[in-house]
Amino acid sequence: MSRLTVKDRCETCGTISGLTPSHFVKKNSVAKTKRSKYVSSDPKNYFTQCLECHQQYELLNKEARVEYLQERNLLVYARRAKWLITL
């Protein structure tokens, strides 16, 4: 897999260090009807988080990830995550 591009700050907390690409949902959580079209390296499938926020996000199940994004007013990302997990 090619290196994923990250933005200049964590989109969750705003920090500028320890930045990583964070996928909205894990590939195995993508709806079966959408998996063949899902490309994990496509920028529309991930966002930038610092290591701390990314670790917290990784612990969430797919439904909780949508809520997490909504609570932080990352509504475009929340819609994408919800679309990915919905049949």
Side-chain angles (χ1 to χ4, degrees):
M1 179 165 73
S2 61
R3 184 174 173 98
L4 302 179
T5 304
V6 295
K7 295 184 179 175
D8 61 354
R9 62 184 54 249
C10 176
E11 294 183 76
T12 305
C13 74
T15 192
I16 59 171
S17 62
L19 302 175
T20 64
S22 179
H23 289 92
F24 299 124
V25 294
K26 296 175 182 168
K27 188 169 185 170
N28 63 351
S29 293
V30 173
K32 289 179 184 176
T33 58
K34 297 172 184 169
R35 281 190 195 156
S36 65
K37 300 173 196 156
Y38 179 77
V39 179
S40 64
S41 61
D42 189 326
K44 69 182 177 186
N45 293 322
Y46 68 92
F47 66 126
T48 300
Q49 287 189 299
C50 67
L51 288 171
E52 186 175 331
C53 290
H54 194 160
Q55 288 174 337
Q56 291 172 0
Y57 191 71
E58 282 295 311
L59 298 174
L60 303 173
N61 66 34
K62 58 188 177 182
E63 291 83 9
R65 287 178 176 218
V66 173
E67 291 174 22
Y68 176 99
L69 294 165
Q70 289 172 333
E71 289 169 358
R72 285 152 182 83
N73 207 32
L74 298 170
L75 303 180
V76 171
Y77 298 157
R79 282 192 296 274
R80 179 68 181 167
K82 187 172 184 175
W83 181 84
L84 287 168
I85 65 174
T86 305
L87 295 175

